[in-house]
Amino acid sequence: MQQSVEPAFMPPSEYLTSTGIAVLMSPRYIGPGKVAEVVLSLAKVPAGVSPLDVVIGPWESHREAFQASHDAAERWVARLDGNA
């Protein structure tokens, strides 16, 4: 069975940050349960704000990847708020 070289991005899941801003997180898998990176994007993008950030792994488990993504989403949104 030949492995695909396409990034295996999963459909985004929504995460609500502590400030109530909805962030979408799309993981890219490089093996069963192993996440290479997660793309963060705002559910509703304000004008003049970069809509994407990427959190680079790899992580050995979904749990590690999503904890890192949640932490990064909080920092990213705080930084965006500071620049608004």
Side-chain angles (χ1 to χ4, degrees):
M1 185 174 193
Q2 187 178 359
Q3 272 204 320
S4 171
V5 294
E6 293 296 313
F9 272 106
M10 297 297 288
S13 59
E14 188 170 295
Y15 168 66
L16 207 61
T17 66
S18 59
T19 55
I21 297 173
V23 176
L24 300 174
M25 299 187 299
S26 303
R28 182 171 66 90
Y29 292 95
I30 51 175
K34 189 169 182 179
V35 181
E37 65 189 32
V38 177
V39 175
L40 304 177
S41 58
L42 294 174
K44 294 177 182 159
V45 183
V49 169
S50 173
L52 290 177
D53 200 2
V54 180
V55 190
I56 304 295
W59 300 278
E60 294 298 327
S61 71
H62 297 287
R63 184 182 299 268
E64 288 175 13
F66 279 92
Q67 185 58 56
S69 302
H70 289 169
D71 295 346
E74 293 284 351
R75 289 192 304 271
W76 182 52
V77 166
R79 196 168 70 237
L80 293 177
D81 280 349
N83 294 338

